[in-house]
Amino acid sequence: MSLDQPVNDSEIMETEIKVSARGVGVFYGEANALRDVDIDFRQHQVTSLIGPSGCGKSTFLRCLNRMNDTVDGCRVVGSIVLDGQNIYSKDVDPVELRARVGMVFQKPNPFPKSIYDNIGYGPRIHGMATNKTEMDEIVESSLKLAGLWDEVKDRLDEPGTGLSGGQQQRLCIARAIAVAPEVILMDEPCSALDPIATAKIEELIDELRQNYTIVIVTHSMQQAARVSQRTAFFHLGNLVEQGDTEQIFTNPVDDRTQSYITGRIG
Amino acid sequence: MTDAAALLASKRPDLSRARINRRYAAEKRFRLYGLIAIGAAMLMLAILLSTIVAKGYSAFLQTHIALDVTFDQSVIDPEGTRNPQTLARADYRGISREAVRDTFPEVTGRRDTRNLYKLFSTDLEFEVMRMVLADPALIGTTKRVWVKSAADIDMLSKGYINRDLPQADRRVNDQALGWYDKLDAEGRVSRLFNTTFFTTADSREPEQAGILGALVGSALTLLVTLVIVFPVGVSAAVYLEEFAPKNKWTDLIEVNINNLAAVPSIVFGLLGLAVFLNFFGLPRSAPLVGGLVLALMTLPTIIIAGRSALKAVPPSIREAALGVGASHMQTVTHHVLPLAMPGMLTGTIIGMAQALGETAPLLMIGMVAFIVDIPGSITDAATVLPVQIYLWADAPERAFVERTSAAILVLLAFLIAMNLAAILLRKKFERRW
Amino acid sequence: MNTLLLIIALLAMTTLAYHVGRKRALASVGGNGHLLHSLPSYHGAYVALWCILPAAIIVFFWLSSENAIINSMMVSSLSLEQQDLSTAEINLILSEIRNIASGAIRSTNIDETKLALADRYGELQFLSTAGLIVVTMGIGAMGLLYSRRFIAPRFRARRWVERMVMGLLIACSIIAILTTIGIVLSLLFEASRFFTKVSPIEFLFGLHWSPQTALRADQVGSTGAFGAVPVFAGTLLITIIAMIVAVPIGLLSAIYMAEYATPHFRSVVKPLLEILAGVPTVVYGFFAALTVGPFIRDLGESVGLNVASESALAAGLVMGIMIIPFVSSLSDDVINAVPQSLRDGAFAMGATKSETIRQIIIPAALPGIVGSILLAVSRAIGETMIVVMAAGLSANFTANPFEAVTTVTVQIVTLLVGDQEFDSAKTLAAFALGLILFIVTLILNVIALTVVRKYREKYD
């Protein structure tokens, strides 16, 4: 499928499945934090994971790039297939996987380095640029794509920690896309931001959809409705319901989903 | 699609096997460096402790020689009064030397006989005297008793003297060697528990030197330190944490305490010398002054520990007490302080352990003298265990090396006991709020 | 012993005062405690504090000035020609008299005048002790009687007691400041006396250090004897060797402990490292002098190197071992303070663990790490026992680690230990060295503590 053509909404349902999770469960020691999740993520789509806090949505997101590997005592069962390969099989290397599946976190976490080096860090460790010019190109394109270029182009040498919260979060998004990932995971990317910065990020997410598969965890139902094409509702470690965003918000099948979107549980 | 996206789409991370493997090799190397560093530190600890144990364990045994001593009534107590004063004044030198000569009837001539006596500790006659005083029933009997050998014979017996060396390079000459072998063959040599080491103070003769004097000195010094530093440290911690207003003065005190904790200990010794000895004219070498200096030295540690113990008490406790109408002072003394006390005690024990191991400042105030008496009060001249170690480490005799190591083992045992006490206290009273 | 009895008597009187205050308070309201403004125990405490505080202050000042006063009185009763003797000689006579008085010298042939002086000394001591007891108990009783009059139903005893206790708490906090002031003043005072004998320029920049020869009368203050540069250089050399050992080992073990070690591994290794920190320095000194020193010398000989048995290398090496846990535990704290979100950020980009550590965590923790290394340097410079036991006395001006060098702390110890005379340039030089030591370590500590504090605030 060609990247040059904009994707219109009528095509959405037919896009290829990029990631497919089957029977995914997560254990912290003995505690079962997530049970038997089956879900597909399609290309050029934004999928929202919603649910009350502690429902396992972030835990599930962190399974998709094996970030749970870094947590002591955490065990993942089931299979998650990315482009036909189970990412939990022995011959998949988490380092390689994470280069293909980028992640943006709840709190902006720019490295204590310059803006340039923040973006350049990923390309450098993955050997994506052979010289300074190429690196400059990557940094510039990433910042442009993240809509930050015009704001920071004159101060690339300043520390990334000096930017405002919203700018920092866009810097983190730029940092993630600089590695040219195929999938981008976002863990409540706007929860620490003000409404204006949130609007900018949401706009950005919608633009990025053209080139990436995006999975976003959010606690805001409005946000899920605004940015995503598909929505999955988690409750107490179970995937309760999934479907087109419109359907989930207007005509949910499950009572728990109904209660959640009407604000009775949360 | 924008140019930017197109450009990014054209770049792909280099995820080739070779590159990934190279990165993982670097990962392994880095991890290995960390392990090597920890291994090196552990190895040094092992070497340190094992050399000290290897050098020191033998000092807990002392070579003794069996002598058949005739406790002659006519020499010791001709009138049969059993008066201790009379008993203490008898000619034990004669008795003990006679016993030595009887053991070697073949040795004649003044010089040889004198050399023969040198197999034994110079404490020999007093050992015999102590036996009589402890058990007057010995008088009039002949009994085989075990007495301390001289330090060189002790070393020979423990195998620290190489018999293959030429006589001139050896601390024990061929004649003494022959005598020793004869005694050994007759079963008159035995290594018994070295009680002397734990019951006497310092001495020029290794076999008579012990650590009791230094232990008592350490105990007295630490007592002074504790009596001063605990109330003062707790009070200062309480004031700074609970009452002090946030202003320049308390900031200054805070910075000052943190810096004082990092001032080299020897500087406290200089302070003690200039202020306590020269200005106030307190006695030199006394546990009183040593305790004062160590108190000033450990004060910052205890204040810092006390403050963090107070900080760990949750504000809800304070609010609850204030809420029922207790004054600020009552809140602190009735509720906060008792809850913080285990933490403060832990900090105090650790501070005391630090003070117990400290040497340098005590050298400055003269606690480094050669002292053969066990100190009886905090103004008597005394030395402490670490200083005793320092003094013995300087002594050239091989037998002192052994005793230095043994004294170190005793010191370490005390430190381990104190730290264990602190750990147990912490475990027992640890609360999660 | 008398002092102990006095303290017991004073405490007994304080207990009495407490009961007097309590009883009187209750009596004033006819036994009905509710009518009192403060609890009866506060009235008791009020009287007790009035009883013990003034008396305790008197005891403190009396005891701290007693020796000096008695000594000066003894000096005035010495014969005139004796009074003209040097301070050291007078001190010798006085200590002999003291020993006679206390019965430590029991020889029969002590000359008459000394016996008389000893009697006088005993008399003065008795007078002083008796006076102290009378004055202290008197003041205590006066405090009791004075404060007792205030006890009344509306008397705010609690407020007053709390105010007095607060005063005590503040006094205790000020002791830390007084200690610093004491250190600074005593070092400055003695060092300034030294600098009247030897010029500061000479001391700070002179290249020749041999204080022992300067003890001879004709050489006191002679040029060249008190140039401390070789001493500073020796300190620097040993510190550098120690840091070469301690920084890599300490830092790498801290990184491993913070980032790689399993909780189980940590729970075993951390206490072991703490043992290394808890070993008294005199033990390290013994280890350096008797094990490491000879080992390095023999090793050097076996490859044809001429190594002094008190080489800078041996002392520095062992000092490094001592400093390892210091560097590692401080760096461990600092590395743990780096927020997890930075690690997550790097892992999520596909960085390996070591890449994350080297490229993200270490740069982020760098200020804190530098701070902890500075603290370690300050610790190494001030360390005394290892160098006293394992480094030499000769002030060689060399950068060769196989030679013996001397350090500031070694010189302080050798200049002061065993020497009673307090006015010679030799002993005063120790205080000048102490002053330099104090200033340098103070600067290092202030910088390090500020850097570490700023660093912590950044990530809090």
Side-chain angles (χ1 to χ4, degrees), chain B residues 93-144:
Chain B
R93 174 177 295 205
I95 292 175
S96 53
R97 291 196 166 177
E98 195 188 315
V100 173
R101 286 194 302 274
D102 288 349
T103 315
F104 292 93
E106 72 279 11
V107 177
T108 52
R110 286 184 73 124
R111 232 174 94 192
D112 285 353
T113 321
R114 221 172 28 238
N115 285 337
L116 193 54
Y117 299 147
K118 284 188 186 155
L119 293 180
F120 298 86
S121 164
T122 51
D123 192 38
L124 176 60
E125 55 195 275
F126 302 101
E127 266 186 290
V128 174
M129 178 186 82
R130 285 193 295 270
M131 285 174 200
V132 172
L133 289 177
D135 180 15
L138 283 173
I139 298 170
T141 63
T142 298
K143 199 180 167 207
R144 172 164 288 205

Side-chain angles (χ1 to χ4, degrees), chain B residues 211-412:
Chain B
I211 54 168
L212 186 63
L215 274 180
V216 173
S218 275
L220 289 171
T221 308
L222 285 191
L223 186 71
V224 173
T225 305
L226 183 64
V227 163
I228 295 167
V229 90
F230 185 68
V232 172
V234 169
S235 308
V238 166
Y239 176 72
L240 292 174
E241 196 58 41
E242 300 289 331
F243 296 108
K246 270 265 149 241
N247 60 25
K248 256 195 218 151
W249 275 103
T250 48
D251 263 5
L252 180 71
I253 296 182
E254 171 131 30
V255 169
N256 177 53
I257 287 172
N258 286 336
N259 277 315
L260 214 49
V263 167
S265 61
I266 194 169
V267 172
F268 286 94
L270 290 174
L271 172 76
L273 175 59
V275 174
F276 297 134
L277 295 190
N278 286 338
F279 189 73
F280 286 122
L282 294 176
R284 261 179 94 84
S285 315
L288 173 64
V289 182
L292 280 170
V293 168
L294 293 183
L296 294 183
M297 198 193 82
T298 44
L299 187 60
T301 317
I302 288 176
I303 296 179
I304 292 170
R307 291 189 66 174
S308 61
L310 287 167
K311 233 178 238 155
V313 178
S316 60
I317 301 272
R318 293 180 183 81
E319 284 155 12
L322 290 170
V324 296
S327 72
H328 195 171
M329 183 75 79
Q330 284 169 326
T331 304
V332 171
T333 50
H334 296 169
H335 300 282
V336 180
L337 199 51
L339 287 173
M341 208 26 98
M344 289 183 156
L345 286 177
T346 310
T348 309
I349 295 175
I350 288 167
M352 286 295 113
Q354 189 191 336
L356 175 61
E358 197 52 71
T359 320
L362 302 179
L363 300 183
M364 299 289 93
I365 54 157
M367 290 190 90
V368 55
F370 171 70
I371 292 156
V372 291
D373 294 320
I374 293 165
S377 84
I378 56 168
T379 47
D380 287 353
T383 189
V384 295
L385 200 47
V387 178
Q388 187 70 73
I389 291 167
Y390 166 65
L391 286 170
W392 281 352
D394 243 10
E397 289 97 335
R398 177 64 184 76
F400 268 125
V401 172
E402 177 187 276
R403 276 165 178 76
T404 315
S405 306
I408 288 176
L409 290 177
V410 173
L411 177 63
L412 290 180

Side-chain angles (χ1 to χ4, degrees), chain A residues 17-58:
Chain A
I17 292 174
K18 185 73 182 173
V19 182
S20 161
R22 288 295 175 269
V24 174
V26 176
F27 295 83
Y28 290 111
E30 289 303 303
N32 192 345
L34 197 66
R35 277 176 296 272
D36 204 17
V37 174
D38 293 342
I39 191 170
D40 293 333
F41 301 104
R42 290 167 185 272
Q43 268 184 342
H44 309 302
Q45 275 192 2
V46 178
T47 308
S48 293
L49 311 182
I50 61 168
S53 50
C55 66
K57 55 191 192 300
S58 286

Side-chain angles (χ1 to χ4, degrees), chain C residues 141-297:
Chain C
M142 271 162 62
L144 195 167
L145 293 174
Y146 170 76
S147 59
R148 186 170 154 261
R149 298 185 327 187
F150 290 104
I151 306 293
R154 300 312 304 155
F155 179 62
R156 295 161 170 251
R158 201 197 76 218
R159 286 275 195 78
W160 281 102
V161 168
E162 289 187 351
R163 232 172 261 182
M164 284 158 132
V165 170
M166 188 67 87
L168 278 179
L169 294 185
I170 294 176
C172 287
S173 320
I174 287 176
I175 287 184
I177 295 247
L178 289 182
T179 309
T180 308
I181 294 175
I183 289 174
V184 171
L185 286 187
S186 57
L187 290 179
L188 273 181
F189 179 69
E190 307 292 353
S192 69
R193 281 169 68 194
F194 172 74
F195 288 129
T196 57
K197 294 172 196 261
V198 177
S199 93
I201 308 284
E202 173 61 38
F203 175 71
L204 287 177
F205 302 106
L207 296 180
H208 184 60
W209 178 265
S210 64
Q212 301 299 339
T213 55
L215 194 60
R216 269 182 270 139
D218 54 332
Q219 282 196 336
V220 169
S222 68
T223 51
F226 286 104
V229 170
V231 182
F232 300 147
T235 310
L236 191 67
L237 178 62
I238 288 184
T239 304
I240 288 173
I241 296 171
M243 286 301 143
I244 289 175
V245 175
V247 171
I249 295 186
L251 202 53
L252 284 171
S253 19
I255 289 170
Y256 190 89
M257 298 282 274
E259 300 291 332
Y260 287 110
T262 60
H264 179 72
F265 184 88
R266 243 179 111 87
S267 70
V268 173
V269 172
K270 211 161 161 106
L272 285 175
L273 276 177
E274 275 165 18
I275 292 182
L276 217 47
V279 171
T281 54
V282 70
V283 177
Y284 281 111
F286 177 73
F287 181 59
L290 270 89
T291 306
V292 179
F295 174 75
I296 290 179
R297 188 196 52 212

